[in-house]
Amino acid sequence: MATIYEVAALAGVSPATVSRVLNGAAVSPEKVRLVRDAAQQLQFTPSRTARRLRNQTSELIALLIPDVENPFFTALARGVEDKAQAAGFSVVLCNTDDDPAKETRYLDIANSEDMAGVILAPASEDGDIRHVTDRGRPVVAVDRNTGLNIDSVMVDNRAAGIAATTALFDAGYERVACIAGPLGLEWTEERSLGWRQVVSKHGGGDSLERYLQHADYRVDGGRAAMATLLALDTPPDAVVTTNNLMGVGALQALSEAGITPPDFGVAVVGDLPFPTLHPDAITQVHLPARHLGTTAATMLLERIAGDDQPARTVVLRADVTRGAARPRR
């Protein structure tokens, strides 16, 4: 038996538009013709799914994030939930652990449960979400790109890396290292490119590779990378970490070495989840996590309601709280 998604795909419209046509809502004559022709060709009979699309108050939205314990994603999820619940939707929270296989399983569940749409921070740029989008289910990417022509809400990651690194040089530090996330991910590359750009501007181009470490976005990864940097023959006097949990790990490694900011400069992209130092000791690039969530939810709700304009990308900027200047020797 044909589904409303197959009718939508054949007619070249959204499932919500099909639902409107079938239920007599206001739709352009051309779309009415396309939907009716597709329904007749597929011998489609309106089903419970179509009725649910008309009455959105009982619909579910899937939210896929990589780490529910990371306060950044917790705040993002709160933004999604606030916006969704105000519109009568419930949110199903799925923790992917940055595992593409887990991500695929959750997307399959979104399909099988006829969820109204999906918001996800992709586990990788090679993840397979086409089996969701091909069925006409609205999907919005948040914080990370998918490489597909779908709506997305992003942070200006290169600007965040530039702001963090610039703040350290402006504070008087001279050898600024970077602890970035895993290689090959666009959001990692953009933040580290911002660091590279500023370091090169300050004449440190020859130290770029030596002072760049990659880790796994976790506390232990940040601690190990910071320990490696401190063990160099000429260690850095400051570091940028491209996410908050690696920042915690870097600070742990510094503490274990008997070093306390601002004697060593630290700039963190993201908000530290449990700061133990005076706020002025560290530069923090505050990411608009909750705003990312509310924006993504708004875009998804528009798609569910039948918005069929071309895919959009919204880019949000971060704010910077600068730490103390390097103490004079």
Side-chain angles (χ1 to χ4, degrees), residues 167 266-268 271 279-280 282-286 319-324:
V266 176
V268 179
D271 292 295
D280 291 343
I282 297 170
T283 291
Q284 293 191 69
V285 179
H286 305 287
D319 295 322
V320 181
T321 300
R322 294 185 173 225

Side-chain angles (χ1 to χ4, degrees), residues 56-101:
Q56 298 287 3
T57 56
S58 64
E59 287 290 350
L60 299 176
I61 290 173
L63 172 61
L64 280 63
I65 57 176
D67 185 3
V68 71
E69 293 183 332
N70 187 329
F72 169 79
F73 290 109
T74 304
L76 188 154
R78 181 58 188 266
V80 170
E81 184 182 41
D82 287 349
K83 192 69 179 181
Q85 287 210 334
F89 286 79
S90 297
V91 178
V92 178
L93 182 61
C94 309
N95 189 76
T96 67
D97 290 318
D98 270 329
D99 181 350

Side-chain angles (χ1 to χ4, degrees), residues 20-265:
R20 288 178 175 180
V21 172
L22 296 174
N23 289 289
V27 180
S28 70
E30 176 62 13
K31 288 183 179 179
V32 170
R33 182 188 65 79
L34 290 170
V35 169
R36 287 179 176 171
D37 288 348
Q40 183 176 9
Q41 183 176 336
L42 294 171
Q43 298 182 329
F44 172 78
T45 300
S47 65
R48 177 171 170 265
T49 300
R51 291 194 296 272
R52 284 171 58 197
L53 279 170
R54 185 184 181 194
N55 181 15
Q56 298 287 3
T57 56
S58 64
E59 287 290 350
L60 299 176
I61 290 173
L63 172 61
L64 280 63
I65 57 176
D67 185 3
V68 71
E69 293 183 332
N70 187 329
F72 169 79
F73 290 109
T74 304
L76 188 154
R78 181 58 188 266
V80 170
E81 184 182 41
D82 287 349
K83 192 69 179 181
Q85 287 210 334
F89 286 79
S90 297
V91 178
V92 178
L93 182 61
C94 309
N95 189 76
T96 67
D97 290 318
D98 270 329
D99 181 350
K102 284 187 71 174
E103 179 180 89
T104 297
R105 286 197 296 273
Y106 283 130
L107 292 174
D108 287 341
I109 292 171
N111 270 339
S112 64
E113 295 297 325
D114 286 325
M115 293 189 184
V118 175
I119 297 172
L120 83 161
S124 76
E125 293 175 344
D126 300 322
D128 180 17
I129 67 171
R130 291 186 185 275
H131 60 297
V132 179
T133 57
D134 287 351
R135 292 188 62 180
R137 200 174 308 282
V139 179
V140 176
V142 62
D143 185 51
R144 306 169 174 185
N145 280 322
T146 62
L148 299 178
N149 187 34
I150 63 173
D151 290 336
S152 61
V153 188
M154 307 292 295
V155 173
D156 191 336
N157 286 306
R158 188 173 303 195
I162 289 172
T165 313
T166 299
L168 291 175
F169 278 107
D170 288 350
Y173 300 98
E174 299 173 349
R175 301 182 306 280
V176 180
C178 178
I179 299 175
L183 279 166
L185 301 178
E186 180 184 355
W187 47 95
T188 288
E189 298 296 336
E190 284 296 306
R191 292 179 186 178
S192 61
L193 280 172
W195 166 78
R196 286 175 178 272
Q197 181 176 327
V198 178
V199 170
S200 296
K201 178 181 175 182
H202 285 80
D206 58 342
S207 63
L208 286 174
E209 302 310 318
R210 183 162 47 110
Y211 284 158
L212 175 61
Q213 292 288 314
H214 290 277
D216 61 359
Y217 282 135
R218 312 292 189 192
V219 172
D220 288 346
R223 183 192 299 115
M226 189 71 251
T228 298
L229 290 169
L230 292 175
L232 293 173
D233 291 339
T234 304
D237 61 1
V239 68
V240 171
T241 70
T242 62
N243 94 325
N244 54 352
L245 297 186
M246 293 191 302
V248 172
L251 288 168
Q252 289 178 353
L254 289 170
S255 177
E256 291 163 5
I259 304 170
T260 304
D263 290 331
F264 189 101

